């Protein structure tokens, strides 16, 4: 009663739920804030808070606490996951991928819009709010905790300051960003956001909306989505933390070494160098044709979704006058039947979405569509698959190796013209700040010999 500022009846009711509290804390991995919400719903008539539940949790020796070493492991995992999950995508391009994942996990809000508002154009990004978002989503890795709740997990600790300095270098201030921006608020909600001033309010409102909808997800789904958002935040911070490797034009001989190197074996860059090589191949093959085309996908990141962008391959060229589409799919290593089957399934959704657009130019049976898979090793995949009938369209399939296509484009175009495309479609994209250093180093290694 004394510690929790409780009347006798409410204190007695809280203690009567000790077994339930133990179950929720130990077996369900709930935080005290989440347990308080459950007890409020069970008992009714009085709204318990996390500090009152902590009194019982402490005596049960079940107080939720984040272990410093485990927390550091999560932060480090987030950085590694950022490169694995997003490859060469910019923070804005990552949003599309996160939104698709959020939809499948049951997030009910407009997450793409909220993340875009939170990030802005990158120039006016407010890093202290990223500290808040990252810290609150870190809790989700260990406990079922309301995503917008503040203070339960010691944001004023020395550990939180160390993490802020190490994992959020874009925030130059030495002060605690979490405490400076919470100012005693019990939750990062819309009331808190509206108290922010000037340009800070837009990002604060986006933060409040993100945390609101995250709090309404089931715990396993929230935990999974929190991992992706933390990886996204690590991507934003990466340019402030790591000295970028320089990519310089290697000359015509370097261009030849690059394509020959990519043709020989998997580049081990999660498909990034292969994607840029296919961009170059596709543009070269298109330039060799006299017909006018409309392209989609050139320069897209490896993680860009074909379905979301309604393109028939990583790169697509549409020739209106000929009613013809040629799409290219890059694949590092040996091509397996599974990848072709998955792509064929995705075409059904994409062609449905583009039916009106395409039929304005001609009926489905008047179109000629070809999907060209380019890989290091084709193997038996090409056997028996010539064409498919999808949504009324006839789709033909072609399977080629990088070395075959490299020989083809080098015969179609002169070295100077091909080098011009190489600079624009390979070298320039690899100079992006969002391309991992390891990928840049690998490009330099291959092209410089």
């Amino acid at each position: 009663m004394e510690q929790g500022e409780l009347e006798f009846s409410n204190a007695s009711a809280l203690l009567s739920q000790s077994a339930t509290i133990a179950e929720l804390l130990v077996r369900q991995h709930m935080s005290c804030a989440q347990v308080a919400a459950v007890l409020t719903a069970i008992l009714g008539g009085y709204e318990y808070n996390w500090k009152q539940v902590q009194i019982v949790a402490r005596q049960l020796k079940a107080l939720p606490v984040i272990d410093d070493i485990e927390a550091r492991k999560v932060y480090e995992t987030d950085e590694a996951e950022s490169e694995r999950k997003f490859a060469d995508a910019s923070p804005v391009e990552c949003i599309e991928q996160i939104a698709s994942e959020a939809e499948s996990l049951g997030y009910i809000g407009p997450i793409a819009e909220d993340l875009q508002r939170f990030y802005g154009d990158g120039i006016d990004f407010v890093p202290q709010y990223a500290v808040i978002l990252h810290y609150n989503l870190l809790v989700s890795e260990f406990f079922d905790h309301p995503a917008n709740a503040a203070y339960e997990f010691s944001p004023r600790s020395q550990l939180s300051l160390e993490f802020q300095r190490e994992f959020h270098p874009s925030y130059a201030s030495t002060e605690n960003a979490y405490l400076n921006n919470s100012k005693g608020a019990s939750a990062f909600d819309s009331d808190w956001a509206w108290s922010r001033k000037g340009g800070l309010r837009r990002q604060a409102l986006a933060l409040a909306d993100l945390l609101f909808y995250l709090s309404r997800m089931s715990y396993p789904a929230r935990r999974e989505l929190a991992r992706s958002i933390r990886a996204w935040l690590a991507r934003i911070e990466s340019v402030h933390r790591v000295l970028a490797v320089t990519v310089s034009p290697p000359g015509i001989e370097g261009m030849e070494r690059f394509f020959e190197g990519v043709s020989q074996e998997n580049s081990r860059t999660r498909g990034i160098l292969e994607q840029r090589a296919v961009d170059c191949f596709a543009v070269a093959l298109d330039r060799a044709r006299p017909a006018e085309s409309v392209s989609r996908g050139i320069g897209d990141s490896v993680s860009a979704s074909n379905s979301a962008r309604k393109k028939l391959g990583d790169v697509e060229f549409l020739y209106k006058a000929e009613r013809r589409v040629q799409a290219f799919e890059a694949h590092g290593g040996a091509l397996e039947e599974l990848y072709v089957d998955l792509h064929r399934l995705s075409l059904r959704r994409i062609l449905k979405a583009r039916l009106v657009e395409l039929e304005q130019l001609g009926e489905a049976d008047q179109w000629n569509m070809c999907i060209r898979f380019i890989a290091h090793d084709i193997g038996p995949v090409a056997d028996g698959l010539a064409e498919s009938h999808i949504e009324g369209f006839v789709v033909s399939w072609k399977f080629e190796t990088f070395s075959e296509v490299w020989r083809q484009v080098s015969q179609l175009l002169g070295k100077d013209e091909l080098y011009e495309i190489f600079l624009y479609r390979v070298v320039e994209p690899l100079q992006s700040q969002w391309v991992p250093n390891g990928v840049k180093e690998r490009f330099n290694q291959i092209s410089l010999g």
Side-chain angles (χ1 to χ4, degrees):
M1 288 172 61
E2 198 172 308
Q3 292 179 44
E5 300 292 336
L6 289 163
E7 298 292 336
F8 175 82
S9 60
N10 293 327
S12 177
L14 180 61
L15 286 172
S16 74
Q17 297 295 321
S18 294
T20 300
I21 293 172
E23 168 74 16
L24 296 176
L25 290 171
V26 177
R27 294 187 182 275
Q28 303 301 323
H29 301 285
M30 287 189 181
S31 68
C32 288
Q34 195 76 301
V35 172
V38 172
L39 294 179
T40 298
I42 292 174
L43 299 172
Y46 183 82
E47 186 173 346
Y48 291 94
N49 64 58
W50 62 272
K51 287 187 176 181
Q52 293 164 336
V53 174
Q54 272 192 338
I55 299 168
V56 180
R58 191 172 287 110
Q59 295 305 312
L60 291 171
K61 294 182 171 55
L63 187 68
V65 177
I66 296 176
D67 180 80
D68 291 5
I69 296 175
E70 292 303 312
R72 180 171 290 281
K73 288 180 181 177
V74 172
Y75 272 106
E76 292 169 352
T77 300
D78 291 341
E79 290 185 335
E81 180 67 6
S82 177
E83 184 171 328
R84 186 202 68 79
K85 191 178 188 72
F86 300 124
D88 58 339
S90 70
V92 173
E93 290 172 316
C94 295
I95 290 173
E96 181 182 285
Q97 188 173 341
I98 295 173
S100 177
E101 181 181 349
E103 183 180 3
S104 68
L105 290 170
Y107 185 97
I108 59 174
I111 192 168
E113 177 185 326
D114 293 338
L115 288 173
Q116 185 60 68
R117 284 192 296 140
F118 186 80
Y119 182 66
D121 59 5
I123 298 173
D124 57 350
F125 178 69
V126 184
Q128 55 262 46
Y129 292 162
V131 174
I132 294 171
L133 179 59
H134 203 162
Y135 195 84
N136 274 33
L137 296 187
L138 171 69
V139 177
S140 295
E141 189 65 26
F142 303 100
F143 299 105
D144 182 358
H145 179 66
N148 61 0
Y151 284 105
E152 180 177 342
F153 289 94
S154 305
R156 58 169 49 86
S157 67
Q158 181 62 31
L159 176 68
S160 72
L161 268 175
E162 289 175 3
F163 282 168
Q164 174 184 302
R165 296 183 189 121
E166 184 172 348
F167 296 101
H168 290 273
S170 64
Y171 185 59
S173 174
T174 58
E175 297 178 339
N176 190 311
Y178 198 102
L179 295 180
N180 281 356
N181 287 278
S182 56
K183 300 295 184 184
S186 60
F188 297 103
D189 53 19
S190 59
D191 289 336
W192 166 83
W194 276 105
S195 70
R196 306 298 97 186
K197 296 180 181 179
L200 299 179
R201 185 177 296 158
R202 173 190 54 79
Q203 190 180 4
L205 286 167
L207 173 62
D209 287 342
L210 285 167
L211 296 177
F212 173 83
Y213 288 114
L214 281 163
S215 294
R216 276 146 184 78
M217 300 178 74
S218 67
Y219 176 48
R222 185 190 327 129
R223 185 184 185 193
E224 189 65 29
L225 185 56
R227 290 171 178 168
S228 292
I229 297 176
R230 292 198 311 265
W232 178 66
L233 293 172
R235 168 56 51 99
I236 294 171
E237 294 291 345
S238 64
V239 295
H240 299 277
R241 183 168 49 249
V242 182
L243 181 63
V245 175
T246 301
V247 170
S248 301
I252 290 179
E253 290 183 358
M255 173 192 71
E256 293 173 334
R257 281 192 293 268
F258 169 74
F259 285 119
E260 288 166 1
V262 169
S263 296
Q264 288 173 7
E265 61 178 353
N266 192 321
S267 69
R268 301 183 299 280
T269 59
R270 296 191 175 91
I272 295 174
L273 293 187
E274 281 81 2
Q275 182 74 62
R276 300 288 76 86
V278 168
D279 281 355
C280 189
F281 290 161
V283 172
L285 291 170
D286 173 69
R287 186 172 293 187
R289 293 181 59 85
E292 184 179 348
S293 65
V294 177
S295 65
R296 295 187 187 209
I298 299 174
D300 281 358
S301 70
V302 169
S303 58
S305 165
N306 289 354
S307 296
R309 303 196 176 198
K310 299 178 183 178
K311 52 182 184 172
L312 302 185
D314 293 330
V315 181
E316 172 198 307
F317 287 91
L318 184 149
Y319 301 90
K320 294 181 179 180
E322 299 178 4
R323 298 187 186 90
R324 182 175 181 274
V325 175
Q326 182 162 243
F328 299 82
E329 274 287 306
H331 187 83
L335 182 62
E336 297 177 7
E337 190 174 347
L338 172 64
Y339 294 103
V340 180
D341 289 341
L342 290 173
H343 190 75
R344 186 165 44 194
L345 288 173
S346 72
L347 289 184
R348 191 170 303 280
R349 295 190 299 272
I350 296 166
L351 288 173
K352 274 185 178 180
R354 293 180 62 182
L355 196 58
V356 174
E357 169 209 343
L358 294 171
E359 288 193 337
Q360 286 179 340
L361 300 171
E363 296 297 323
D365 59 4
Q366 296 177 315
W367 281 88
N368 175 12
M369 297 183 173
C370 179
I371 312 297
R372 299 176 67 166
F373 274 89
I374 303 176
H376 293 97
D377 180 20
I378 300 301
V381 175
D383 297 340
L385 182 61
E387 63 180 34
S388 302
H389 295 264
I390 305 173
E391 295 298 316
F393 294 91
V394 177
V395 179
S396 60
W397 304 87
K398 192 171 184 180
F399 304 94
E400 303 161 289
T401 63
F402 279 94
S403 58
E404 289 172 341
V405 182
W406 165 234
R407 284 196 300 270
Q408 184 180 353
V409 298
S410 58
Q411 291 170 3
L412 287 171
L413 299 180
K415 287 185 179 181
D416 289 342
E417 189 173 7
L418 192 54
Y419 183 66
E420 175 196 336
I421 299 171
F422 168 75
L423 291 177
Y424 190 38
R425 298 302 179 187
V426 177
V427 177
E428 186 175 318
L430 291 175
Q431 292 170 334
S432 166
Q433 60 184 336
W434 307 115
V435 173
N437 285 336
V439 176
K440 295 179 179 181
E441 289 171 349
R442 182 64 177 145
F443 171 80
N444 290 339
Q445 181 184 26
I446 294 172
S447 61
L448 297 177

